[in-house]
């Protein structure tokens, strides 16, 4: 049995070894069913990740769609500090497309991969070991024509025969890979086993000391963060992760959990990251808003209850000394006590200061729109909390450049009335006004949208929650739609629950338009 030891790998006691944080929220995260993001949303997330100190941003899979190509190109241009990475299978067309998308990046990285496990090689690729080794050599060499920073991944590495995995990594390094990623693609591994795989590669593969080893772990058994940390302890110096742990199936390792585990337990894990942890909470909220995936209340670090203490014993201990039950301070991850700050008399200056304090930077036109919405909200709602302002601004950003917009809505319901909704939608600049009945007011609204903008998507989920406490709280509505196997989640908030429902449905439709042009990455083949 190998003992997991903080001093293995390159770590030397007393000094903190840097760990590179590779964020794949925009690529693996976006592969989650229902997590489609618009172009503007991707840019907004990328800018926030860059500002937060992420070292490498995987911005997309350029060959998978024109939208992904555009997102990678634009993110490559706007990101100031981080390396920007594009994913490519082993085929030359994929790699050339990734190289093309990354042209404007200050620090471009191509991430190319091929499956190496027996089950994937046989059933997915229909390739033997020699053909896979050849493809690794050719793909990494091809990628090196575009950039000196080439990452190679062995898809399904943790179910790969160890000798063959060593051979694959040897060929990748020999061909010029600078980062070797070891994905636990199906979330099957355990901390000890993952530790051993990384250790084996570092010990057995020639020139392993010339490259950076990277972890990439899925969370099917709930072990993604534990496995990633085991990889770090075994000598990996890059961790691939996503905000809120979103990703295929049960998701990827959660960035915020890895970063905070390394920060809080420096005593046994002597590593550092470049992440400004006070931005974690905001990053989590943004990704949750954009994807429409709520963060579970008890989620570590960013869950609503992560820092609340309900039981009397805990509260008593906390009042005597916070260290009795708190291993990190809420402020360290950007959580501040809910504050009642702005009201209907607050002006532009106070609103701008508030946005700055909450970490938003907006262009003048967007600021004016947000300010107008804030004034409308303050007219309707006595207390305007930080959460209200964040919901309002995130909505504003999401609605920015939509193809379909709600111009007006009027709903009637109550006893003795057949619920009905009158609505005007603007679709690509053209107005369409309709009136529809329904089983209830929400059904009437959704029928009206279907009539004004005919589509075949079906409703999978409709969920309402309150942004803050009180009967005048804004309602936050999530709507999930499905069309031909593609799912998207729209989100919106408003003090009027029915208006929020209409906005959320239309937000989902706009996302569906984005997703329609995108082919599922899994459906692509490996052909050159
Ligand atoms: O999980 C996985 O294997 C991946 C690869 C493309 C790196 O996401
Ligand atoms: Zn993955």
């Amino acid at each position: 049995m190998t003992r997991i030891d903080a001093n293995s790998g390159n770590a030397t006691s007393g000094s903190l070894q840097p760990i590179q944080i590779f964020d794949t929220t925009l690529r693996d995260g976006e592969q989650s069913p229902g997590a489609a993001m618009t172009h503007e949303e991707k840019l907004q997330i990328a800018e926030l990740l860059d500002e937060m100190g992420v070292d490498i941003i995987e911005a997309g899979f350029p060959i998978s769609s024109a939208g992904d190509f555009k997102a990678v190109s634009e993110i490559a241009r706007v990101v100031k500090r981080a390396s920007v990475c594009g994913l490519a299978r082993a085929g030359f067309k994929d790699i050339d497309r990734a190289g093309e998308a990354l042209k404007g990046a200050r620090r471009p990285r191509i991430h190319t991969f091929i499956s190496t496990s027996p089950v994937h090689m046989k059933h997915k690729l229909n390739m033997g070991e020699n053909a896979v080794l050849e493809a690794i050599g050719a793909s990494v060499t091809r990628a090196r024509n575009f950039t000196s920073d080439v990452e190679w991944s062995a898809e399904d590495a943790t179910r790969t025969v160890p000798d063959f995995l060593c051979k694959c990594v040897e060929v990748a390094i020999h061909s010029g890979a600078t980062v070797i990623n070891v994905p636990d693609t199906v979330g099957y591994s355990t901390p000890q086993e993952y530790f051993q795989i990384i250790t084996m590669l570092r010990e057995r593969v020639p020139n392993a000391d010339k490259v950076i080893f990277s972890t990439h772990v899925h969370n099917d058994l709930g072990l993604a963060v534990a496995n990633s940390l085991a990889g770090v302890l075994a000598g990996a110096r890059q961790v691939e992760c996503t905000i809120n742990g979103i990703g295929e199936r049960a998701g990827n390792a959660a960035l915020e959990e890895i970063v905070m585990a390394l920060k809080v337990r420096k005593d046994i894990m002597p590593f550092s990251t470049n992440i400004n942890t006070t931005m974690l909470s905001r990053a989590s909220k943004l990704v949750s808003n954009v994807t429409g995936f709520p963060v579970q209340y008890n989620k570590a670090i960013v869950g609503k209850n992560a820092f609340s203490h309900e039981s009397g014993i805990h509260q008593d201990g906390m009042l005597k000394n916070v260290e009795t039950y708190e291993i990190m301070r809420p402020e360290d991850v950007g959580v501040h006590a809910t504050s009642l700050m702005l009201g209907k008399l607050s002006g532009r200056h106070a609103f701008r200061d508030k946005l700055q304090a909450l970490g938003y930077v907006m262009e003048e036109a967007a600021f004016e729109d947000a300010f107008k919405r804030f004034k409308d909200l303050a007219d309707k709602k006595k207390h305007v909390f930080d959460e209200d302002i964040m919901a309002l601004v995130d909505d504003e950003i999401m609605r920015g450049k939509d193809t379909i917009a709600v111009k007006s809505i009027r709903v009637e319901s109550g006893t003795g009335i057949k619920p009905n909704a009158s609505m005007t939608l603007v679709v690509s600049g053209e107005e369409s006004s309709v009136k529809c009945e329904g089983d209830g007011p929400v059904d009437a609204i959704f029928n009206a949208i279907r009539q004004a903008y005919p589509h075949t998507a079906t409703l999978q989920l409709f969920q309402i929650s309150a942004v803050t406490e009180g009967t005048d709280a804004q309602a936050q509505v999530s709507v999930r739609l499905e069309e031909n196997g593609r799912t998207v989640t729209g989100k919106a908030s408003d003090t009027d629950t029915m208006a929020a429902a209409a906005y959320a449905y239309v937000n989902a439709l706009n996302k569906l338009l984005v997703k329609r042009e995108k082919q599922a990455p899994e459906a692509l083949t490996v052909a050159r």
Side-chain angles (χ1 to χ4, degrees):
M1 267 197 351
T2 313
R3 198 169 68 87
I4 295 183
D5 180 354
N7 289 326
S8 58
N10 296 326
T12 50
S13 52
S15 67
L16 297 181
Q17 290 282 324
I19 300 297
Q20 303 255 298
I21 296 296
F22 175 116
D23 180 279
T24 183
T25 305
L26 298 175
R27 198 277 299 170
D28 223 348
E30 212 223 1
Q31 279 174 224
S32 328
M37 302 173 194
T38 64
H39 186 71
E40 285 69 32
E41 289 165 353
K42 286 184 182 178
L43 281 177
Q44 203 199 347
I45 292 176
E47 284 177 319
L48 187 128
L49 294 174
D50 191 32
E51 193 190 335
M52 190 166 75
V54 161
D55 300 284
I56 305 106
I57 298 172
E58 188 162 51
F61 192 175
I63 202 158
S64 70
S65 70
D68 257 41
F69 181 86
K70 189 170 157 218
V72 175
S73 316
E74 189 114 352
I75 290 169
R77 270 194 327 98
V78 300
V79 156
K80 296 192 180 73
R81 206 195 59 85
S83 297
V84 177
C85 176
L87 185 69
R89 290 161 305 168
F92 287 176
K93 279 193 193 140
D94 277 45
I95 293 166
D96 295 354
R97 194 80 177 133
E100 173 82 16
L102 290 166
K103 258 185 188 157
R106 284 182 193 82
R107 298 207 269 141
R109 173 181 294 186
I110 294 180
H111 175 192
T112 181
F113 72 99
I114 193 166
S115 294
T116 53
S117 67
V119 64
H120 275 219
M121 288 195 301
K122 180 163 179 223
H123 298 290
K124 199 176 109 171
L125 301 179
N126 194 20
M127 284 166 88
E129 289 192 350
N130 286 340
V132 167
L133 289 171
E134 210 181 291
I136 295 169
S139 56
V140 173
T141 307
R142 184 82 170 191
R144 282 295 304 242
N145 291 335
F146 294 94
T147 170
S148 58
D149 188 0
V150 174
E151 171 170 335
W152 178 76
S153 283
E155 190 182 3
D156 207 15
T158 53
R159 294 193 299 169
T160 298
V161 177
D163 284 350
F164 182 60
L165 184 60
C166 288
K167 237 185 252 166
C168 292
V169 172
E170 183 177 345
V171 171
I173 296 176
H174 180 75
S175 309
T178 43
V179 178
I180 299 294
N181 186 34
V182 185
D184 183 21
T185 305
V186 290
Y188 177 68
S189 205
T190 63
Q192 191 163 54
E193 182 184 62
Y194 198 68
F195 179 93
Q196 282 166 344
I197 293 170
I198 301 277
T199 304
M200 170 192 77
L201 293 172
R202 295 186 62 234
E203 283 175 0
R204 283 184 47 189
V205 176
N207 294 316
D209 58 330
K210 307 280 188 309
V211 294
I212 290 178
F213 279 89
S214 166
T215 69
H216 178 110
V217 186
H218 283 266
N219 202 31
D220 298 66
L221 294 174
L223 293 171
V225 170
N227 286 345
S228 305
L229 294 175
V232 167
L233 291 168
R237 292 295 171 263
Q238 173 180 288
V239 175
E240 302 198 354
C241 43
T242 59
I243 301 290
N244 296 339
I246 66 165
E248 291 267 21
R249 306 180 309 278
N252 290 57
L255 181 149
E256 60 280 1
E257 294 178 23
I258 287 169
V259 166
M260 288 312 290
L262 292 176
K263 184 169 172 148
V264 171
R265 295 312 308 273
K266 276 197 196 78
D267 54 332
I268 55 165
M269 295 188 285
F271 307 104
S272 63
T273 71
N274 286 323
I275 301 296
N276 171 357
T277 62
T278 63
M279 292 180 72
L280 289 172
S281 174
R282 190 159 132 48
S284 164
K285 287 199 171 86
L286 177 63
V287 170
S288 171
N289 272 337
V290 160
T291 56
F293 290 180
V295 176
Q296 78 193 55
Y297 279 17
N298 60 328
K299 162 92 175 57
I301 316 298
V302 290
K304 196 173 168 168
N305 291 351
F307 294 95
S308 8
H309 303 267
E310 186 78 19
S311 95
I313 297 175
H314 285 210
Q315 285 176 349
D316 180 55
M318 286 289 291
L319 288 172
K320 288 175 176 149
N321 184 332
V322 289
E323 281 181 21
T324 51
Y325 286 102
E326 217 162 68
I327 58 166
M328 54 197 151
R329 293 177 311 162
E331 308 88 90
D332 292 344
V333 302
V335 172
H336 303 281
T338 300
S339 51
L340 167 62
M341 286 296 288
L342 301 183
K344 66 185 197 178
L345 298 178
S346 308
R348 275 186 179 69
H349 193 88
F351 186 62
R352 201 184 295 277
D353 281 355
K354 190 72 191 165
L355 289 183
Q356 250 165 24
L358 293 172
Y360 290 97
V361 182
M362 299 183 95
E363 283 169 11
E364 207 44 43
F367 171 81
E368 283 303 328
D369 285 349
F371 182 66
K372 186 177 170 309
R373 289 195 63 214
F374 156 69
K375 282 295 204 184
D376 290 346
L377 180 65
D379 267 344
K380 290 186 216 156
K381 193 172 184 293
K382 211 158 103 199
H383 305 311
V384 180
F385 295 93
D386 288 358
E387 287 87 340
D388 286 316
I389 292 173
M390 283 151 79
L392 178 152
V393 176
D394 289 336
D395 258 20
E396 188 64 44
I397 290 158
M398 279 200 279
R399 283 185 215 166
K401 299 187 174 79
D402 287 343
T403 310
I404 311 168
V406 178
K407 184 172 180 202
S408 65
I409 176 167
R410 185 186 166 86
V411 184
E412 281 182 321
S413 74
T415 48
I417 301 174
K418 181 82 183 157
N420 64 79
S422 307
M423 171 177 280
T424 300
L425 282 192
V426 183
V427 182
S428 302
E430 299 261 316
E431 284 191 16
S432 168
S433 298
V434 291
K435 181 170 182 177
C436 278
E437 293 183 341
D439 284 347
V442 174
D443 190 42
I445 291 168
F446 291 179
N447 287 340
I449 296 174
R450 267 185 229 109
Q451 191 170 318
Y453 179 76
H455 56 276
T456 55
T458 54
L459 181 69
Q460 302 285 301
L461 169 118
F462 172 72
Q463 196 169 280
I464 308 175
S465 60
V467 173
T468 57
E469 273 142 39
T471 50
D472 65 348
Q474 291 194 84
Q476 189 153 56
V477 176
S478 299
V479 166
R480 186 170 304 149
L481 297 179
E482 195 265 339
E483 184 190 67
N484 299 330
R486 299 184 189 94
T487 50
V488 290
T489 310
K491 222 168 171 181
S493 43
D494 201 285
T495 47
D496 183 325
T497 308
M498 295 304 118
Y503 293 140
Y505 194 107
V506 166
N507 180 241
L509 274 183
N510 281 304
K511 288 188 167 181
L512 205 55
L513 295 182
V514 174
K515 201 144 186 176
R516 269 184 196 158
E517 60 156 306
K518 185 167 168 138
Q519 225 182 320
E522 309 73 23
L524 300 166
T525 61
V526 182
R528 277 210 198 147

